[in-house]
Amino acid sequence: MSTPTPADAVAFQYPRRRPNVGRARQALRRQLALWRVEGEVADTAVLLLSELVTNAMAAKTAPGREIRVRFELSGKELRLEVADASDEKPQLRNAGPQDESGRGLALVNALADAWGVAPRLGVGKTVWASLVLPEVAAP
């Protein structure tokens, strides 16, 4: 993969408040439009980001900690990253029909071409997911 130029990666920080899940989705949609990534792959990327940001919002951290989202387009790979200040690693769960939560990572696992968790510089972790794009138009 080539090294991304500044236009190929963007990052945002948000306070850990529920409305910022929607703001992160909007930021991704705007960036995907600039990159000319659309259709089903764009919808899948937005769903993946929504799940990752929702998990970060729910992570057990000290009050006032922000989350960081980062989108990177490199060749035919779109990478979404969400960092938070919690060291607690996300776990795939088998949510039952009566469970109100616990399906987010199962969706990520099913829809992403790859995903994982990496330590964050300092404190916390970064959860990432990637999609291989069928065709990427130059920005």
Side-chain angles (χ1 to χ4, degrees):
M1 275 184 212
S2 62
T3 303
T5 63
D8 294 328
V10 295
F12 303 91
Q13 283 201 192
Y14 298 102
R16 288 183 44 216
R17 292 191 201 103
R18 291 302 247 163
N20 290 324
V21 176
R23 288 183 183 101
R25 284 192 305 258
Q26 290 171 351
L28 178 57
R29 282 222 182 263
R30 283 190 305 270
Q31 191 61 44
L32 291 174
L34 291 173
W35 286 334
R36 299 183 184 138
V37 175
E38 52 194 23
E40 186 178 330
V41 72
D43 293 339
T44 299
V46 171
L47 177 58
L48 290 172
L49 180 70
S50 186
E51 295 301 334
L52 297 179
V53 173
T54 297
N55 283 351
M57 294 290 179
K60 295 176 183 150
T61 66
R65 299 289 182 145
E66 293 190 337
I67 64 160
R68 180 176 184 264
V69 297
R70 183 175 181 274
F71 321 132
E72 179 181 324
L73 182 62
S74 181
K76 289 188 171 232
E77 181 185 20
L78 173 65
R79 183 175 169 107
L80 310 170
E81 299 177 354
V82 178
D84 64 54
S86 172
D87 290 326
E88 186 176 318
K89 304 286 189 264
Q91 301 286 327
L92 271 173
R93 293 181 29 197
N94 290 323
Q98 304 303 320
D99 291 332
E100 294 182 16
S101 64
R103 293 173 184 82
L105 279 182
L107 277 171
V108 171
N109 192 53
L111 297 174
D113 290 304
W115 73 276
V117 182
R120 181 176 152 184
L121 187 60
V123 63
K125 66 182 174 303
T126 299
V127 182
W128 59 270
S130 67
L131 291 170
V132 176
L133 306 180
E135 185 176 317
V136 178

